[in-house]
Amino acid sequence: MPLVLNEEQNMLKDAAKDFCTNSTPISQLRGLRDDTSETGFDTDTWQQMVELGWAGITIPEDFGGLGFGYLGMGVVMEECGRTLTASPLLATAVLGAGAILHGGSDELKGELLPQVAGGELLLALAVEETPHHNPYGATTTAEKSGDGYKVTGSKKFVLDGHVANKIVVVARTSGNAGDRDGLTLVLVDSGAGVNVTRTIMADSRNAANIEFSGVQGVLLGEEGKGADVLDKVLDAGRILLSAEMLGGVQECFERTVEYLKVREQFGVPIGSFQGLKHRAAQMFCEVELSKSVVLEALSSLDDDSEQVGELASLAKARLNDTYNLVSSEGVQMHGGIGMTDEYEIGFFMKRSRVCEHSLGNSAFHRDRYGVIQGY
Amino acid sequence: MTALDEFRLETRSWLAANCPASMRVSVPEDQIVGGGKRQVYENPEAKIWLDNMASKGWTAPTWPSEYGGGGLSKDEFLVLQDEMMRINARAPISGMGFSMIGPTLLDYGTEEQKREHLPKIVSGEIRWCQGYSEPGAGSDLASLQTKCEDKGDHYSVNGQKVWTSGAQYADWIYTLVRTEPQAPKHEGISFVLIDMAQPGVTVKPILLISGNSPFCETFFDDATVRKDGLVGQLNRGWTVGKRLLQHERSSISGLSSGGKKGRYDDMGKLSNIAVEYIGKDSGKLADPALRDAVIQNELNQRAFGLTQQRSMAESDKGETATFATSMFKYYGSETGKERLELQLKAMGTQSLGWEGQDFGDNERTLTRTWLRSKAGSIAGGSSEIQLNIIAKRVLGLPD
C-alpha cells in the first residue's frame, strides 16, 4: 500500500485525462441524452478506449489484457468521472470480466476475456431485484439443466444491461432470499428468453430491467457458492466505482471553488464570505480523505489483501457521502444558475445519486464494515 | 537482504534488549515523560528507557546526529515506529522540544543555537514551553503586546502570556514578542528564547474545566534574554512563529503516530468500549443508532490515518506537506472530540464520574480527557482559524 502512484500509473493518468478532456467532455453526455442515443454511449469513443487498452487493463496478459492492475484501472475511472464519460467500462471490464475471471473455467476465460479486451463483447452483472442493493437477496432461480442451468426471474437496475451481449445473473439454487449460501452465478446470452427493458435514469446513463424466462446458461464458480465469486466482483466494482466518483468529486469541487472566486455580489467575490469559505474548506478535507481511501482500496485489490472487503466499504461509504455533499453544495453555491440545465454543475448531482445507489449506499456499507469488524 | 531489512533486524534486537518490560504497556496520562529538571520518574525504568533511547538519538530519530539526533532516513524512521508498535513500546519522552522548537531551530536556528539547545532536548535534560497567546491576542495572535527592548548587551522582556502549556514544568520558553511597536502588526514581532530560571519570570497555573491545570499564565517583569537568544531576524519573528505553528498543528492532530493509531486509541477502541457497556444483539452492537455513529467515526478515523500516511508518502522527508497541516489540525481535533462524545454515549452515566470509588480509573480518566479534548479545536489556532487558512492558502479564496 504505497498510497502514491508510480511513474507508469501517472503516465496512464495523464493520458486518460487528455483523452477524456478532448474526446469525452460533458457535452458528449448531454448530446447522447438529447439525441436519445440507443446505446447511451458513443460507440466510436468506446472503440478508441478499447484501442487504448482500457477494456483489458485488469485482464491478465495470458487472456489478452494488459495485466496493468486495479490502480491503473482506477486512474482511468477517475478521469472518466471528471468528465462524466458514458462507457461500458465498469459493467463490462470490471463487473462482467471479473465474474468470468474469478468464476470461469480456463477454457471460458480463454474464449471470452480476449473478446472483452478487444471490445467485441459487452457484459453486465444482474444482481438487484429491489430498489436497494441486496447482494444476497436473489429470488431468481437457477435449475440444473443438461450441461448448464436454466435461469428464471427478474432483475432491476442492471448497469448497461440494455447493451450487454452476455449477462452474469445472480440466481438461487437453494435457500431463501438473504441467505449467502445457495447463490449461483450463471452466464447467459442476451437473446431468446431474456426480455430487456432499458431504464432511463436521471444521470442520462444506462441501466435495464430484465426478465429471464428459463434461459439456459453456463455456471460460473460453484453451485450454491456463488457468493464467494460475487463478493470479490462486487468489491472490485465498489472500489472502481468509488474511483470514478472521486473524479466527479474533484471536478465538481474545483468548478465550485472557481465560481466562488469570480461570482460577485455586494461588490465583492462571494468567495470572500466566511459563510462560504468555511464550507469550502470543510469540503476540501473530505475530498482529501476521499483520495486516500480510494488509493488504499485500489492497492488492496492489486495486493489481493484480506482487507479488500472492509476497504471497499470504507471507500464506497465515504465517496457516497462526499459526492453527495460536494454536488449538493456545488449547486447551492452556484445559486440560480446551478439550477439550470444549460449549466453543467447539475450533471454531477444527478450522477452522484445514481452512483450512491449503485453497489450499496452508505448505510449498507457502514453496516457491512461493522459486521466485518465484529460488531 | 536490503539495508532497510538489516536495519529492521538490528532495531528489533536492540529494542528487545533495551526496552524495559514495564515500558511495553500503554502509558497512563500522568506518567508521560516530558523531561526537564523538574521531571520525577515514578517508575525508574522510565528513566532507563529514556537514557537508552537518547543514547541512540532515537528520542528525536530524524534529527541530524551532530545535534544528538538519530540521523535516520524517513524509511528507517518508519521502521523504528513499526518495531516500537510491534512490542507496544511507549514513546520514551515527548513534548514541545521535540514537536515544535526543535524542528523550528533546525529550520531557522544558527549553528550555535542548534548546538546549544538540540542535544539537551534529545537527552531530556531541558524541557520547553511556548509563549504565544496573550489575554488580548488569541485567534488574532499578531496583535500581541509583550514588549522586548534592546538594552545593549541583552534584551529585556515585559508582558504576559497565557495558555502556556506545561510552563510549570518547563526550563525554557520560546516566545513571540513585540520589538517594533510602530511597525504594522506582523512586521514588528520577534522570536526569542528565554531561560525561565530567573526572577523576571513568574508562572501561575490555570484551573480548567477538566479539573487539571495543563495551562498557565506566564508573566515577564524585566526578564532578560541573551543577545544570541533571537531566532531568525529581528522583527521577522512572525515567519518563524508561523512555521512553528505548523509543527504544533501537526502534533495536536495526532500526526506523531504516522497515521497508524487514532488520537485516543490508547483508551481502547471505541467499538470495543461500546460493546462492553451496551452489549450485542444478533452479533451487532445493541444500540443501532449509536452503532451507526460509532462505525462512521471509526471510518473517518481510518480515512484520516490513511491521509496522514499518504501525506508522508508524498513528502520526501517524511514530514507533513505544508498545505495539509491545517486540514490535519482541523479534522483530527474535530474527529477526536466526536469520538469522546460517542464514548460518553456508549458508557452512559459511568462516563461522567468525577472522583471516588463508584468509578474505575479508566472511567474517571475519560471524564477528564473528554473535557480536555475541547481544547484540541481551540489551541494552536481554532478550527475556525484552520478553515480560514485552508480557504486562503489552499483554495485561494479572496480576503
Side-chain angles (χ1 to χ4, degrees):
Chain A
M1 36 144 235
L3 284 167
V4 280
L5 297 176
N6 65 26
E7 201 178 328
E8 285 181 311
Q9 288 155 354
N10 269 316
M11 281 169 59
L12 178 58
K13 187 167 201 273
D14 291 344
K17 183 184 274 301
D18 273 354
F19 179 82
C20 292
T21 309
N22 296 317
S23 303
T24 67
I26 295 178
S27 53
Q28 185 189 58
L29 178 65
R30 181 192 293 279
L32 291 165
R33 178 195 70 178
D34 293 347
D35 300 344
T36 53
S37 151
E38 274 183 29
T39 51
F41 63 92
D42 182 76
T43 45
D44 289 344
T45 303
W46 173 238
Q47 205 47 50
Q48 289 164 19
M49 290 178 165
V50 169
E51 280 159 23
L52 288 166
W54 292 0
I57 290 178
T58 56
I59 294 175
E61 285 170 292
D62 291 352
F63 298 116
L66 295 181
F68 200 69
Y70 289 96
L71 270 165
M73 184 62 110
V75 296
V76 168
M77 292 291 294
E78 184 182 335
E79 293 305 326
C80 289
R82 274 192 180 264
T83 54
L84 302 176
T85 303
S87 87
L89 208 52
L90 181 74
T92 294
V94 178
L95 297 173
I100 293 169
L101 188 63
H102 294 300
S105 63
D106 281 348
E107 193 190 342
L108 193 70
K109 286 192 265 192
E111 182 196 343
L112 298 182
L113 292 178
Q115 293 180 33
V116 171
E120 300 140 35
L121 179 65
L122 294 180
L123 300 169
L125 175 70
V127 188
E128 316 297 354
E129 298 181 6
T130 66
H132 296 95
H133 181 53
N134 189 2
Y136 310 144
T139 58
T140 296
T141 58
E143 265 182 283
K144 187 100 175 81
S145 158
D147 289 348
Y149 288 78
K150 275 194 191 310
V151 174
T152 307
S154 58
K155 293 286 181 180
K156 284 176 77 76
F157 193 51
V158 180
L159 300 175
D160 287 331
H162 64 303
V163 289
N165 312 111
K166 288 179 184 290
I167 301 166
V168 179
V169 188
V170 182
R172 186 166 288 289
T173 37
S174 64
N176 299 308
D179 292 350
R180 192 175 183 282
D181 287 338
L183 292 178
T184 299
L185 304 188
V186 184
L187 181 68
V188 305
D189 286 336
S190 185
V194 178
N195 184 15
V196 178
T197 316
R198 183 181 174 194
T199 47
I200 309 291
M201 309 286 290
D203 64 344
S204 314
R205 296 276 280 275
N206 319 295
N209 293 335
I210 305 183
E211 300 271 350
F212 300 93
S213 7
V215 62
Q216 182 81 12
V218 297
L219 176 69
L220 294 177
E222 284 180 55
E223 182 190 313
K225 302 280 180 207
D228 295 342
V229 173
L230 180 64
D231 282 347
K232 281 189 180 181
V233 172
L234 289 175
D235 278 333
R238 288 157 180 154
I239 292 169
L240 271 304
L241 181 57
S242 297
E244 187 215 300
M245 295 166 80
L246 176 63
V249 160
Q250 291 175 88
E251 182 68 24
C252 182
F253 179 59
E254 286 162 18
R255 288 181 181 214
T256 302
V257 169
E258 192 49 38
Y259 188 74
L260 296 180
K261 291 177 189 173
V262 297
R263 169 69 175 170
E264 295 195 0
Q265 285 289 275
F266 305 101
V268 293
I270 59 172
S272 64
F273 299 130
Q274 204 172 38
L276 295 177
K277 272 183 178 169
H278 280 189
R279 280 153 57 194
Q282 284 166 327
M283 281 193 277
F284 169 78
C285 298
E286 302 298 347
V287 174
E288 288 300 313
L289 267 64
S290 298
K291 292 180 188 173
S292 315
V293 297
V294 169
L295 270 175
E296 180 78 352
L298 289 167
S299 297
S300 77
L301 284 173
D302 283 331
D303 298 345
D304 200 16
S305 150
E306 285 178 3
Q307 297 191 4
V308 166
E310 60 195 87
L311 289 169
S313 285
L314 171 67
K316 187 62 173 40
R318 164 155 286 277
L319 268 296
N320 283 343
D321 295 343
T322 304
Y323 208 176
N324 187 311
L325 170 74
V326 168
S327 60
S328 298
E329 286 283 61
V331 169
Q332 176 67 23
M333 289 183 181
H334 276 82
I337 201 170
M339 289 298 296
T340 63
D341 181 65
E342 185 186 349
Y343 214 76
E344 288 179 347
I345 202 78
F347 280 69
F348 291 96
M349 177 133 75
K350 294 178 193 174
R351 179 63 185 156
S352 78
R353 300 310 195 273
V354 174
C355 289
E356 189 176 331
H357 290 282
S358 303
L359 308 178
N361 65 15
S362 300
F364 174 90
H365 284 293
R366 282 197 297 270
D367 176 67
R368 180 167 181 256
Y369 188 86
V371 169
I372 294 173
Q373 299 288 326
Y375 67 100
Chain B
M1 188 185 293
T2 67
L4 201 61
D5 291 333
E6 273 177 44
F7 177 77
R8 183 181 292 277
L9 289 180
E10 284 165 23
T11 302
R12 190 173 294 179
S13 65
W14 187 88
L15 286 171
N18 289 282
C19 182
S22 65
M23 296 294 108
R24 301 182 192 196
V25 292
S26 295
V27 56
E29 199 156 5
D30 60 354
Q31 282 186 35
I32 293 175
V33 170
K37 298 192 188 312
R38 294 182 187 79
Q39 176 72 50
V40 178
Y41 297 92
E42 285 183 36
N43 177 350
E45 288 193 334
K47 174 74 167 119
I48 294 168
W49 175 224
L50 169 61
D51 289 345
N52 288 347
M53 286 290 275
S55 72
K56 301 277 281 182
W58 285 359
T59 52
T62 58
W63 294 5
S65 43
E66 63 256 47
Y67 308 124
L72 299 190
S73 68
K74 165 185 145 187
D75 288 339
E76 289 169 335
F77 171 51
L78 293 174
V79 166
L80 173 61
Q81 268 190 342
D82 260 7
E83 291 301 315
M84 287 177 67
M85 279 175 64
R86 211 177 60 84
I87 61 169
N88 199 27
R90 64 176 67 165
I93 185 168
S94 60
M96 296 181 185
F98 298 95
S99 57
M100 293 182 235
I101 187 65
T104 304
L105 286 177
L106 283 170
D107 287 345
Y108 290 100
T110 62
E111 188 58 27
E112 290 72 27
Q113 285 169 336
K114 292 181 208 173
R115 290 198 182 281
E116 176 181 359
H117 296 293
L118 296 179
K120 292 178 185 171
I121 295 172
V122 172
S123 67
E125 179 185 343
I126 294 295
R127 179 167 177 164
W128 285 83
C129 69
Q130 166 173 297
Y132 267 32
S133 298
E134 297 178 5
S139 286
D140 182 14
L141 179 62
S143 70
L144 58 93
Q145 295 298 326
T146 293
K147 201 165 61 178
C148 177
E149 291 167 295
D150 192 337
K151 297 287 184 186
D153 62 343
H154 70 280
Y155 298 106
S156 177
V157 175
N158 283 280
Q160 181 194 347
K161 293 290 175 181
V162 71
W163 318 127
T164 44
S165 320
Q168 69 270 51
Y169 311 114
D171 308 294
W172 280 70
I173 182 168
Y174 56 87
T175 315
L176 287 175
V177 293
R178 188 154 299 285
T179 36
E180 179 48 69
Q182 307 307 324
K185 67 179 181 180
H186 291 91
E187 292 163 28
I189 292 171
S190 300
F191 189 103
V192 296
L193 309 177
I194 306 179
D195 186 349
M196 297 176 78
Q198 58 170 306
V201 180
T202 315
V203 172
K204 215 173 109 186
I206 304 168
L207 184 65
L208 295 186
I209 52 176
S210 60
N212 298 334
S213 301
F215 298 122
C216 300
E217 295 173 289
T218 301
F219 301 90
F220 301 103
D221 301 291
D222 292 331
T224 296
V225 181
R226 290 185 346 227
K227 269 298 172 71
D228 63 1
L230 179 71
V231 180
Q233 284 179 291
L234 190 68
N235 296 327
R236 293 287 174 271
W238 186 248
T239 310
V240 183
K242 269 198 309 190
R243 179 82 186 114
L244 185 138
L245 274 176
Q246 286 184 357
H247 296 301
E248 174 171 19
R249 287 164 189 163
S250 300
S251 77
I252 291 177
S253 65
L255 263 181
S256 45
S257 72
K260 291 182 179 160
K261 228 162 106 175
R263 181 161 169 65
Y264 296 105
D265 277 2
D266 279 343
M267 308 177 78
K269 221 169 153 245
L270 177 59
S271 50
N272 292 347
I273 295 166
V275 168
E276 183 188 337
Y277 281 81
I278 293 173
K280 284 187 180 179
D281 182 10
S282 311
K284 297 180 182 181
L285 183 66
D287 177 342
L290 183 68
R291 176 173 180 267
D292 194 53
V294 166
I295 294 169
Q296 181 70 65
N297 187 262
E298 293 198 345
L299 288 171
N300 289 345
Q301 295 274 10
R302 187 157 178 187
F304 180 63
L306 287 170
T307 306
Q308 292 176 319
Q309 291 173 35
R310 176 167 68 87
S311 162
M312 282 166 54
E314 283 172 357
S315 130
D316 297 334
K317 289 195 292 179
E319 290 170 359
T320 317
T322 306
F323 80 91
T325 320
S326 288
M327 170 179 73
F328 290 138
K329 163 69 166 71
Y330 165 73
Y331 204 89
S333 59
E334 295 294 341
T335 310
K337 283 198 304 185
E338 185 187 82
R339 182 227 143 106
L340 292 169
E341 288 292 346
L342 288 168
Q343 198 168 333
L344 258 60
K345 291 188 205 307
M347 290 165 59
T349 52
Q350 284 306 112
S351 69
L352 290 164
W354 195 253
E355 42 188 42
Q357 298 310 307
D358 299 330
F359 304 96
D361 285 349
N362 288 345
E363 291 171 338
R364 269 182 279 108
T365 301
L366 168 65
T367 315
R368 314 282 174 141
T369 306
W370 158 64
L371 288 161
R372 173 72 178 81
S373 77
K374 302 303 180 191
S377 54
I378 300 170
S382 64
S383 283
E384 290 73 15
I385 293 289
Q386 303 312 320
L387 293 175
N388 286 349
I389 293 171
I390 294 168
K392 181 171 175 169
R393 303 274 172 220
V394 184
L395 302 180
L397 293 174
D399 276 329

